[in-house]
Amino acid sequence: MKTFRRIGVLTSGGDAPGMNAAVRAVTRAALAKGVEVMGIYRGYSGLIDGDIKPLGLRDVSNIINHGGTFLYSDRCPEFKTEEGMQKAIATCAEFQIDGIVAIGGDGTFRGATDLTARGIPCIGLPGTIDNDITSTDATIGFDTAMNTVIEMVDRLRDTCESHARCNVVEVMGRGAGDIAVRTGIAAGATSVAIPEIPFDANAVIEKIKHGRAVGKRNFIVIVSEGMGADFSQNLAEQIEAQTGVETKFARLAHVVRGGNPNLRDRVMASRMGEFAVDRLIEGKSNLVICENGGEIVATDINFALILDRMYKGKLKDGDLAPYTPAQIEEMKLRCEKKRALIASLYETCNRLSL
Ligand code: ADP
Ligand code: F6P
């Protein structure tokens, strides 16, 4: 078994509140086991360029409560090329990095699995506000981001109520409606629009007309960005034209990615970071750390990536070939479970509004 003397930690892809808490946990858990830690700056870009500094106990002081990532993040197309990958491997040799904890989303995990295949053991932590990693119930940053959405939407509702308006609010999530559907419930939205469920604009318009007729003054419609670039603005225009209710449009965008992580994200990031280090030191790699039913568990990265592709309907020829019928069945069940959860949340939102 490989002896770990020094590991690297990086944050990659879109930043997420709680990434700092995860870096702190990785650093302190490793140092406690006598393993040195190198902070790799700017995600895979820093791994290619050698933008790397040692992290001591005190270097991760006072960051658990901060949003963003003090290691900075980047999207690094060069890392997707064999040349970029080889540069990264050379950097690992130069800095004597024996293994890496990579915090990010599915793109980051694809990079991590490529590195593992080339002899650098990696473990991924799910750090993204989108909650679009099917193998985990929650990703680091998701809960904080939703709380930020709620705060913003509550403010919009105040002014909608004063002026008897509707507000269509677009929230991030890439292709996933996870943020939109939950914040829709919590904000008491009239409706939500998410890519996972066919959207019926006429039903929403009828609901708003009825609401106005019975004296309701404010209306909130939450739209996931996955509905498409102009969807929200067009919907706002359509609602105003067909209901007569003045309708504003707001895109919350990156506001939702910033801010201090909340308790849930800090705790989950800390537990996942510690768990990842323990697995790496045990000689395990090519794993993504997940939360399933409140428990922190490890899932094979390739299994997690294929599960994601199955859930998103993007399976490629041969993707399932390495898996046993029992594993494929498990993937199908997990996809069904997540679809059922999203459908049920969507129903709850619609049933409880108006
Ligand atoms: P996220 O990790 O949040 O999904 P990205 O999709 O931007 O964000 O991925 C983050 C980084 O991971 C990319 O900039 C790139 O360096 C690396 N990456 C993404 N896809 C791959 C891939 N197919 N192979 C190797 N590295 C990848
Ligand atoms: O993956 C996180 C995320 O914030 C998505 O919700 C969004 O689609 C994307 O990143 C935005 O990326 P960028 O920061 O590059 O604009």
Side-chain angles (χ1 to χ4, degrees):
M1 194 176 86
K2 188 160 182 160
T3 308
F4 283 86
R5 280 168 307 148
R6 185 180 282 177
I7 62 167
V9 57
L10 61 83
T11 50
S12 159
D15 65 348
M19 279 184 163
N20 282 326
V23 173
R24 171 183 178 272
V26 168
T27 304
R28 294 203 168 159
L31 292 173
K33 296 252 162 121
V35 175
E36 292 173 4
V37 182
M38 303 299 275
I40 301 163
Y41 287 76
R42 297 181 294 112
Y44 292 124
S45 299
L47 195 59
I48 287 177
D49 301 346
D51 190 359
I52 295 173
K53 291 184 198 112
L55 293 179
L57 278 180
R58 297 273 73 83
D59 293 315
V60 291
S61 294
N62 301 320
I63 63 165
I64 192 167
N65 51 324
H66 288 167
T69 160
F70 88 104
L71 288 179
Y72 311 132
S73 192
D74 203 3
R75 307 212 194 253
C76 173
E78 192 186 354
F79 191 70
K80 294 185 190 177
T81 66
E82 190 54 40
E83 202 190 336
M85 188 70 53
Q86 289 307 326
K87 282 191 201 165
I89 289 166
T91 308
C92 289
E94 183 188 341
F95 286 85
Q96 297 176 315
I97 291 172
D98 300 319
I100 291 177
V101 178
I103 307 162
D106 57 348
T108 301
F109 300 157
R110 275 194 284 274
T113 196
D114 288 352
L115 264 183
T116 306
R118 288 165 181 75
I120 312 289
C122 291
I123 293 192
L125 297 194
T128 164
I129 62 164
D130 300 337
N131 204 41
D132 59 349
I133 312 285
T134 316
S135 55
T136 185
D137 295 343
T139 53
I140 297 166
F142 173 52
D143 202 57
T144 304
M146 289 193 294
N147 280 289
T148 305
V149 169
I150 289 308
E151 193 190 324
M152 299 296 132
V153 173
D154 287 351
R155 287 166 193 241
L156 289 170
R157 185 199 274 264
D158 287 347
T159 168
C160 281
E161 177 70 9
S162 305
H163 291 267
R165 285 176 178 155
C166 172
N167 216 312
V168 175
V169 188
E170 185 188 290
V171 297
M172 276 190 168
R174 211 184 282 260
D178 289 56
I179 293 178
V181 77
R182 286 172 179 79
T183 55
I185 294 174
T190 300
S191 186
V192 291
I194 56 173
E196 292 88 340
I197 309 240
F199 182 68
D200 182 351
N202 289 331
V204 177
I205 283 161
E206 287 311 311
K207 214 170 179 185
I208 292 174
K209 278 190 195 163
H210 171 76
R212 179 51 52 94
V214 297
K216 183 169 170 58
R217 290 177 63 82
N218 76 75
F219 301 91
I220 299 285
V221 178
I222 298 191
V223 175
S224 170
E225 67 170 334
M227 294 301 289
D230 299 324
F231 182 91
S232 308
Q233 203 155 357
N234 290 342
L235 180 64
E237 285 165 16
Q238 193 185 352
I239 290 173
E240 182 162 306
Q242 293 186 23
T243 64
V245 175
E246 190 184 356
T247 302
K248 301 287 181 186
F249 155 68
R251 177 173 287 137
L252 299 186
H254 294 80
V255 159
V256 168
R257 241 168 54 188
N260 298 344
N262 67 9
L263 178 138
R264 170 149 168 66
D265 282 326
R266 294 184 204 189
V267 171
M268 192 171 71
S270 301
R271 293 178 77 202
M272 286 181 165
E274 193 183 24
F275 193 88
V277 168
D278 288 346
R279 298 294 81 71
L280 208 49
I281 292 173
E282 268 172 26
K284 306 219 169 84
S285 64
N286 209 42
L287 299 172
V288 52
I289 307 305
C290 301
E291 190 191 73
N292 291 154
E295 216 187 312
I296 305 297
V297 297
T299 304
D300 177 79
I301 288 189
N302 297 96
F303 183 94
L305 290 173
I306 301 298
L307 177 63
D308 261 345
R309 289 223 274 271
M310 182 184 273
Y311 179 70
K312 292 165 190 165
K314 291 183 179 165
L315 276 180
K316 296 182 198 148
D317 282 349
D319 270 353
L320 295 177
Y323 298 101
T324 64
Q327 286 173 314
I328 295 170
E329 197 48 37
E330 186 194 336
M331 284 183 194
K332 285 183 182 161
L333 279 174
R334 291 176 78 157
C335 291
E336 271 167 35
K337 203 172 152 200
K338 174 140 187 179
R339 281 193 200 102
L341 173 62
I342 297 282
S344 148
L345 292 167
Y346 187 84
E347 274 308 305
T348 299
C349 181
N350 275 332
R351 210 178 303 135
L352 299 185
S353 63
L354 290 187

